[in-house]
Every structure is written in C-alpha cells, then in structure tokens.
C-alpha cells in the first residue's frame, strides 16, 4: 500500500478526480476525510457528534479525531493499493501524524484553482448523500436533474456549501492547509496540476502527475 495526497481548496475538484480514477482503476482507493466525517455524523457516532458543529461552521474538526479515522483506514488497507487521500492532511500537525504511521507517501498533487472560480463551482455543486458521487449543475450534470446517475438517490446541496460557509472554508484553507505546499515541496514530493480543464482532463493530468 502507498498513498497519493490530493491538496487543493474546497471545490477544487479533488473528490471528483479521485472518485473518477478509483472507479476505473481497481488498485486505486479513494479515501475522503469529509465523507468519513459525514458518515460518522449521519450515524451519530461519538466522533460524528463531536465533529458536527465544526463542520457546519466550515472549521476544521480536532486533529486527533480525523487522524484516528484515517489511521483505521490505513490499517485495513493492504496489498497492491494506492490510496488517494482527499481532504487529509489539512494542516502541518496532521501531516506529521500521517508521517508517524509510517505509510509511504508516493506523491502529493496540488490541484490548483483560483478562489473566484471556487465560489462559482461550489454554488453549483450537488452531492449524492447515498453513494457520495459528485455533480455540478452545468459542468457535470446528472442525466436526470436532481437524481444520482449511479444509485438513483435524490441529490442534495451540502449544508456547508452555502456562500458564507464557503468563504470561511477558503480562509481556513489558506491559513491552515496552504502551508502544506511548502512542507511537501521541501520533501521533494509536490507536483502541481491546473484544476481548471474539466473533469476528464483533470483526472488524466492527475494520473500522469501522481
Ligand atoms: P470536505 O468534504 O473535505 O470539504 O470536508 C468537509 C468538512 O469536514 C471540512 O470543512 C471540515 O469541517 C471537516 N474536515 C474534513 N477533513 C478534515 C481534516 N483533515 N481535518 C479537519 N477537518 C476536516
């Protein structure tokens, strides 16, 4: 097992890229920290109860809480698998916790998208609450409006995708997560792709860079 970390702002397309690639490559596994947390919130687990308020405000949940979930996934992932880590680490402390697991990091790919474009993208984002597939009303619409192509569930707008919370999430990204660019650059692991070429080309560029 090894890992590729996807770095990028909320709405940069990390989840879409990782989801697409994992669907068509049996040895790639998409692990989204946001999906793990939303799952815990939906189930009402103790971790979910603790995380809920932070998530609704667009803040990071406590490092130890999400790090434990990621460690559990790492422990249960064996064999010839590359984990596409989407949303973790989100700050330097988490990156150090990840390093301490000893799981090898193959590369870190920054999906680069300017803030102005992020706001528009998130405004049109729709998510399947059941199978977690992601859509966009114009850039990546489902075949039937409002319905998931893959499992038929009704698509939703994530609670934290409202414009005010998105602004807060971007502030958090620049303050907490962006320092990871220099952190991984110093380790010679960083690659960068232009995340503004559309879902198919973004996924191709990512695969070539990782
Ligand atoms: P995402 O789906 O990656 O945009 O994550 C949604 C929300 O989950 C974030 O705004 C945070 O509240 C929380 N979250 C996800 N990943 C992490 C993480 N690595 N550390 C702290 N909070 C996280």
């Amino acid at each position: 097992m090894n890992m590729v970390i996807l770095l990028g702002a909320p709405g940069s397309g990390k989840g879409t890229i990782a989801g697409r690639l994992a669907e068509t490559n049996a040895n790639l596994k998409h692990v989204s920290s946001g999906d793990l947390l939303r799952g815990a919130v939906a189930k009402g687990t103790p971790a979910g109860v603790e995380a809920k308020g932070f998530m609704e405000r667009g803040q990071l949940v406590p490092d130890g809480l999400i790090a434990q979930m990621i460690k559990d996934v790492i422990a249960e992932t064996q064999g010839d698998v590359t984990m596409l880590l989407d949303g973790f680490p989100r700050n330097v402390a988490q990156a150090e916790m990840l390093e301490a697991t000893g799981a090898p990091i193959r590369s870190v790919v920054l999906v680069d998208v300017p803030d102005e474009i992020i706001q528009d993208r998130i405004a049109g984002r729709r998510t399947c609450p059941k199978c977690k597939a992601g859509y966009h009303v114009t850039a990546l619409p489902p075949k039937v409006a409002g319905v998931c192509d893959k499992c038929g569930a009704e698509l939703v707008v994530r609670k934290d995708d409202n414009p005010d919370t998105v602004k807060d999430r971007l502030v958090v990204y620049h303050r907490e997560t962006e320092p990871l660019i220099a952190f991984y650059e110093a380790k010679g692991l960083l690659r960068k792709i232009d995340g503004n070429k559309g879902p198919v080309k973004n996924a191709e560029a990512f695969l070539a860079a990782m």
Side-chain angles (χ1 to χ4, degrees), residues 27-185:
N27 62 337
L28 297 181
K29 174 174 174 171
H30 178 199
V31 177
S32 154
S33 55
D35 283 349
L36 291 173
L37 286 162
R38 281 183 288 277
V41 171
K43 280 197 200 125
T45 66
V49 171
E50 193 182 344
K52 190 167 187 265
F54 293 100
M55 294 174 75
E56 285 176 355
R57 292 190 295 276
Q59 294 169 352
L60 296 184
V61 308
D63 293 336
L65 189 158
I66 182 63
Q68 189 54 51
M69 288 183 169
I70 298 291
K71 280 182 202 162
D72 292 345
V73 178
I74 290 175
E76 74 197 21
T77 307
Q78 271 139 28
D80 182 19
V81 178
T82 296
M83 253 171 68
L84 303 178
L85 251 188
D86 157 22
F88 187 93
R90 278 287 226 280
N91 59 29
V92 172
Q94 293 182 8
E96 285 166 348
M97 289 178 189
L98 185 63
E99 224 165 59
T101 66
I105 298 172
R106 168 169 158 170
S107 60
V108 178
V109 182
L110 172 66
V111 182
D112 194 31
V113 179
D115 277 12
E116 315 80 79
I117 295 176
I118 294 282
Q119 309 257 11
D120 280 356
R121 277 202 194 172
I122 295 191
R125 183 148 86 167
R126 300 291 180 271
T127 311
C128 175
K130 203 166 151 206
C131 76
K132 316 298 173 216
Y135 298 88
H136 187 279
V137 286
T138 53
L140 192 61
K143 293 195 183 87
V144 178
V147 178
C148 180
D149 290 348
K150 293 181 185 124
C151 74
E154 199 174 320
L155 302 179
V156 298
V157 176
R158 272 169 50 178
K159 254 191 194 160
D160 59 347
D161 275 352
N162 72 72
D164 284 342
T165 312
V166 169
K167 275 191 199 128
D168 293 342
R169 288 164 65 202
L170 280 171
V171 169
V172 169
Y173 172 73
H174 290 301
R175 190 184 59 219
E176 303 278 333
T177 311
E178 231 164 37
L180 289 177
I181 296 174
F183 179 90
Y184 286 121
E185 204 158 32

